[in-house]
Amino acid sequence: MTANNANNVVDAVVVGAGISGLYAIHRLRKSGLSVRGFERGSDVGGTWFWNSYPGARVDIESKFYSYSFDDELQQDWTWSHRYAYQPEILAYLNHVADRFGIREHIKFNTAVVAAAWDETHARWNFTTSDGGRITAKYFVNGSGGLSNTNRPRFSDDDNFAGEIYHSGEWPNDGVDFSGKRVGIIGTGSSGIQMIPLIAKEAGRLSVFQRTAQYAVPAWNRSMDEAETREIKDHYPAIRQRVRESYFGIDFEVPDHGAVEASPEEVEAQLDFAWKRGGYMMLAAYPDIVLNPESNAIVSDWVWKKIRPRIKDPKTAEKLRPKYPFGAKRLCVDTEYFEAFNRDNVDLIDLEEAGIERLVPEGVRLADGNIVELDVLVFATGFDAMTGALLGMNVTGIRGLSLSEHWADGPKNFLGIMIAGFPNLFMITGPGSPSAFYNLPPGIEQHVDWIATCIDYLIDNSYDYINPTSEFERAWTDHVTWLAQQTIFTKVKSWYNGQNIEGKPNQFLIYAGGGITYRAFTEQTIAAGGYRGFELGTAAGAAVHPSERLMVTMA
């Protein structure tokens, strides 16, 4: 492999030091590559470094939301809660970084600000935020799908005299809300987690709701020694079931839809799923996201469970979702709806009067009313799936910029590679299962695929791999077609980029299920000699033209 020459020539550059970046550095080093990681934060953790707001917690059970690549790691680490809170997940990722000697290969407080493909030498040339330059054959992007924060246009208004924070860039030393007038804009996952806790501390809390959300109780709890021992004893079987699942989570699901069941059976099944709690309420029936009739049954049932938690009828009506259950990212809550029963909490429905601008006193609404605040929190999410990579100013073959190539939406093949950008690998990028799959096993599958691909290139003396435009179009169309069979395309959400003004309306996630995706990428594409790709050398044209393959799946 390439010798590390004063840290400016390596085999692979990995961007990001979260779950993706840490495993990518570890796995590529195991393959014998020299690797340099770059992380804009001051330490490892990625999402769990930046999102340290009150109540930040994973919405998938800890035993599933963890690495599976090392048996001893699984046995040594013990999770304290069913759903781990941010500090514990961050401690886990620090433990992984130290245990496997990953940290020493990462340059912190440093972002990649430009990456250009050198066709002559088949390498990537990088420029970093500190003015540094580095060259690598392989570019692995592990910057994460939810890392580029979204701030509303009016957030640029500097008239507000108080404190402003974003949930995705939370101060490491926390924020003191004691007795203050606090406003929170946004009621997605972050807002729903922080609102109940801030409500208990603030003098007054004003919640600016753009969209009423479904939220399912987490029923979070600590795990005792017996439960932990049971998990550790059965990790191999748990991980195998995860790999063979649709969502990357081990769960039970009926073999029929809600429409086919009797009212008594529906009640029993949904009650079971509700008491199980968490994100997998979405899998209470297999056709919730496919069949509008089944979805309507579940939507009505879930609202009937939520409604008694809200005392005031007018507030309840404002909090009632107006979209199909699960069409937006399902939230997992702890006493979210009960927070609106407090005397110090106001719900401001932005459908009635939107935000006009910020003023020194607080937020001015379109009807002229001013909500006076000392602190304003943006829980407004992210420029999901594409924002971080586009922000790196990437240019490929013949100087084609990624922003130009993606002007109409993020075309790609498998959610891993982009035509015209050789040796650039995305971990859980747009067009992959990503947010519809448990991220740690999804990340491991992607990184292992990438590492195996690089091994293949090296073993067969290829300098680069590049998907063809034909296969890129076919895959992008396939991802769109799959989404159109579901309820996900019936609403505006970050799933299709519609939370960002001016962003192309393209569905960003592969909805065909993890087990199908895994089989296709590994058995059809990789084991088939990397169909859909051109593999070549720097000295000449492609020497491994792709074979024609219909990108269709059951």
Side-chain angles (χ1 to χ4, degrees), residues 340-394:
F340 295 97
N341 298 330
R342 299 177 60 94
D343 292 337
N344 69 326
V345 176
D346 297 318
L347 177 61
I348 300 169
D349 188 353
L350 296 181
E351 286 191 352
E352 296 178 358
I355 295 175
E356 181 181 282
R357 59 191 173 93
L358 304 186
V359 293
E361 304 93 327
V363 173
R364 181 185 178 93
L365 300 176
D367 61 8
N369 287 321
I370 294 176
V371 181
E372 296 185 352
L373 302 171
D374 302 307
V375 182
L376 180 58
V377 175
F378 292 114
T380 46
F382 303 88
D383 184 353
M385 309 303 295
T386 61
L389 184 55
L390 285 171
M392 293 180 210
N393 299 306
V394 180

Side-chain angles (χ1 to χ4, degrees), residues 192-226:
I192 282 175
Q193 288 180 343
M194 69 171 70
I195 283 168
L197 295 178
I198 294 177
K200 295 176 182 179
E201 187 179 346
R204 183 148 217 91
L205 175 62
S206 299
V207 177
F208 297 86
Q209 175 184 269
R210 298 183 298 174
T211 304
Q213 302 282 11
Y214 286 103
V216 177
W219 308 124
N220 201 15
R221 53 174 171 73
S222 59
M223 295 195 296
D224 60 27
E225 186 175 343

Side-chain angles (χ1 to χ4, degrees), residues 9 56 249 252 260 264 321 397 407 445 479 498 546:
V9 177
I249 303 171
E252 300 173 17
E260 288 79 44
E264 294 76 18
I397 293 174
Q445 190 269 337
V479 170
Q498 291 184 288
S546 66

